[in-house]
Amino acid sequence: MPRLSLSSRLALLFAACTAVVSLFAGVLFSRASEAHFVELDQQLLDGKLIGLRRALQDIQSRESEIKLADELSRQADLSLRITGSDGRRWYDSSASLPDQLPHQPGLSTVNDDGTDYRVLNAPLFEGKPDSPQLTLLLDITHHQHFLQRMQHLIWLTVGLSALATALLGAWAARSGLRPLRRMSAIASGVSAHSLNARLPEERMPPELAEMAHSFNAMLGRLDDSFQRLSAFSADIAHELRTPLSNLLTHTQVTLTRPRPIEDYREALHSNLEELQWMAQLVNDMLYLAKADHGLLMPKREPLELAQEVDMLLEFFAPLAEDARVTLSRVGGGHLEGDRSMLRRALSNLLDNALRFTPAGGDVRVQIVDQPKGLKLTVENSGAQISEDLLPRLFDRFYRADPARHEGSSEHAGLGLAITESIVRAHGGKIHCESENGWTRFVIELPKGD
């Protein structure tokens, strides 16, 4: 079966609710009307009972018969039956009265051959056990017809109101869901070339404003990711173009004429360097691709971060000495993490700091043990990075130094992106600050369970 649309479901729901409410109200009104008629009949019969008792005080006299006839003549639809204490019928005011009538005292309702009666049984003389019984019968057929017509009207009203509510509900639902159709139209028109489309949040109803905001945020993320992917592809082509061009040119020049074996060996060594750099570039890109898909699964082993940092500082000490840069570390702390991955992240930060620290400058590593994690800062003195460039430092192939825009066999601009991926894989976060002649990368890592 085809699924009902949301508008149809809302319309049917409105119709069902209206039908239930109308039916409930109609039943209450019908019951109230019926109770009202019973109350009126009770009052009428009680009044007639008093008059009949007064008229029948001396049931044997001719005057009583006259009074009885006069009392009954005032109410055309009122009939009377008098029975003795032994159950024998003494008197019927009409020959068409039912043979069988209820004997219990009080008010009751009887139907006989299509005629409805309200019946009241009471003794003629109150307080006397052998008193004759009076049975008053009031023809209420017109009352019952009225109640039946009202019930038919109620059912008709329920049906018409449900139909009207269904139509109005469908119109209201269709009008209310117009923002969703607009959202669907925008979503169907989204493609790689139209990710800048946005929903007008200010014109959305409050119930859909949050959804519209989330939808726009999703489009923004998709647009940003697509732009990054496009830039990433362009950067890959740009980075690989230079070494490939070098390889082709060098190989073509080498093959232009016969050469000594040493020249061929030198050409192969030169090509090997370019190929090694290209292999490293491809490995780094694969590493980042695994990080994007959540495939980096760091091992959890207890680490003394101060020892790991000291080992890296010892490794970079010769480079720092040649560049006349001072390396130092303060603080320490324990955490659980992947030793090789964290070493790679810290090596990238230290290598980056050494490259951009002027002679006579400092590179400092600070470790702060906090209650819920560790805060590690790698900072170096040197030129300040513009605040506009700080958010882009972790982009792939991005270089803050404008002098390094061409492909290089030494640095491809992936180090900080890899560092960020490693930190995130450990559940941490990293950001960069640059002020007052110092540039610092701040890493916050959880300690683990």
Side-chain angles (χ1 to χ4, degrees):
M1 292 180 61
R3 291 181 297 176
L4 290 176
S5 65
L6 189 56
S7 299
S8 300
R9 294 180 185 182
L10 290 175
L12 291 177
L13 181 61
F14 290 155
C17 292
T18 303
V20 170
V21 172
S22 301
L23 182 60
F24 183 72
V27 170
L28 286 180
F29 182 73
S30 177
R31 295 291 175 84
S33 300
E34 186 176 357
H36 178 67
F37 284 131
V38 171
E39 184 180 358
L40 291 178
D41 295 340
Q42 178 78 53
Q43 293 176 356
L44 176 62
L45 291 173
D46 287 342
K48 292 297 180 181
L49 179 63
I50 296 173
L52 290 172
R53 281 174 174 171
R54 189 180 299 115
L56 296 173
Q57 288 179 356
D58 185 6
I59 197 169
Q60 302 296 330
S61 66
R62 177 65 180 171
E63 184 181 353
S64 296
E65 294 181 7
I66 295 174
K67 289 181 178 180
L68 177 61
D70 181 64
E71 190 70 31
L72 293 175
S73 65
R74 297 178 183 179
Q75 190 77 31
D77 53 357
L78 182 66
S79 302
L80 174 65
R81 171 174 290 177
I82 303 176
T83 57
S85 59
D86 56 358
R88 288 187 304 167
R89 190 181 307 173
W90 288 6
Y91 173 78
D92 275 350
S93 63
S94 174
S96 61
L97 293 180
D99 292 333
Q100 300 296 327
L101 291 175
H103 299 288
Q104 71 272 15
L107 194 68
S108 59
T109 303
V110 173
N111 180 273
D112 179 68
D113 197 19
T115 303
D116 295 306
Y117 295 96
R118 199 84 72 194
V119 180
L120 176 63
N121 287 314
L124 176 58
F125 303 110
E126 294 182 293
K128 293 184 179 181
D130 57 347
S131 170
Q133 296 293 314
L134 298 180
T135 302
L136 279 76
L137 294 89
L138 181 65
D139 188 349
I140 59 170
T141 305
H142 60 289
H143 291 175
Q144 299 301 99
H145 289 171
F146 171 78
L147 290 175
Q148 290 175 2
R149 288 195 302 271
M150 188 174 66
Q151 289 176 354
H152 293 161
L153 182 62
I154 288 173
W155 284 110
L156 180 61
T157 303
V158 169
L160 291 178
S161 60
L163 178 60
T165 306
L167 296 176
L168 293 175
W171 173 80
R174 185 172 179 82
S175 300
L177 295 177
R178 189 177 294 114
L180 285 179
R181 292 197 299 273
R182 188 183 305 119
M183 187 181 300
S184 176
I186 293 178
S188 62
V190 171
S191 65
H193 304 288
S194 60
L195 289 174
N196 56 348
R198 297 293 183 272
L199 288 174
E201 297 181 29
E202 64 281 355
R203 290 189 293 175
M204 287 288 176
E207 295 82 0
L208 296 178
E210 184 176 354
M211 181 185 296
H213 178 75
S214 301
F215 186 79
N216 289 338
M218 179 194 68
L219 288 178
R221 291 192 298 270
L222 288 175
D223 188 22
D224 181 68
S225 299
F226 185 78
Q227 296 296 334
R228 287 175 178 269
L229 181 61
S230 300
F232 186 51
S233 301
D235 289 336
I236 291 175
H238 181 76
E239 294 294 332
L240 293 177
R241 181 183 61 183
T242 299
L244 286 174
S245 178
N246 292 340
L247 286 172
L248 288 172
T249 302
H250 196 194
T251 303
Q252 288 172 352
V253 170
T254 303
L255 296 176
T256 53
R257 58 184 177 83
R259 298 178 182 273
I261 296 298
E262 291 299 327
D263 290 347
Y264 288 117
R265 182 175 295 149
E266 182 180 352
L268 290 175
H269 277 295
S270 178
N271 290 349
L272 179 62
E273 292 180 0
E274 296 290 346
L275 291 171
Q276 287 175 339
W277 179 83
M278 292 173 63
Q280 182 61 41
L281 177 63
V282 171
N283 289 334
D284 289 345
M285 289 189 297
L286 290 175
Y287 193 89
L288 290 172
K290 291 176 62 177
D292 289 342
H293 290 82
L295 299 178
L296 287 185
M297 305 298 294
K299 296 182 295 184
R300 297 292 178 177
E301 53 185 322
L303 300 175
E304 172 55 55
L305 204 54
Q307 295 180 2
E308 303 298 328
V309 172
D310 288 343
M311 292 178 61
L312 291 174
L313 293 180
E314 183 178 356
F315 174 79
F316 283 101
L319 294 177
E321 184 177 355
D322 291 341
R324 291 181 295 163
V325 173
T326 303
L327 300 177
S328 62
R329 187 267 308 166
V330 294
H334 298 270
L335 82 158
E336 292 185 355
D338 191 299
R339 176 177 280 106
S340 61
M341 292 174 67
L342 290 176
R343 281 183 178 179
R344 183 173 185 179
L346 294 175
S347 296
N348 290 338
L349 293 179
L350 290 172
D351 179 68
N352 186 75
L354 284 173
R355 286 190 292 114
F356 294 100
T357 302
D362 295 316
V363 174
R364 300 188 299 210
V365 180
Q366 182 179 10
I367 305 172
V368 179
D369 194 353
Q370 298 177 333
K372 295 184 179 180
L374 289 178
K375 180 179 180 181
L376 186 146
T377 303
V378 178
E379 58 183 359
N380 66 281
S381 58
Q384 183 171 322
I385 301 176
S386 172
E387 187 174 352
D388 297 337
L389 301 179
L390 291 178
R392 299 191 57 194
L393 291 180
F394 298 97
D395 292 351
R396 300 166 188 181
F397 297 110
Y398 179 76
R399 302 181 182 89
D401 185 0
R404 304 186 62 83
H405 281 178
E406 292 299 327
S408 167
S409 61
E410 186 179 0
H411 301 287
L414 295 176
L416 292 180
I418 292 175
T419 299
E420 183 185 36
S421 299
I422 292 174
V423 171
R424 287 183 175 178
H426 282 79
K429 52 186 178 180
I430 181 173
H431 68 276
C432 179
E433 305 169 354
S434 185
E435 57 185 359
N436 301 324
W438 286 87
T439 298
R440 62 183 60 88
F441 288 87
V442 182
I443 300 176
E444 297 179 11
L445 292 170
K447 289 184 176 181
D449 298 332

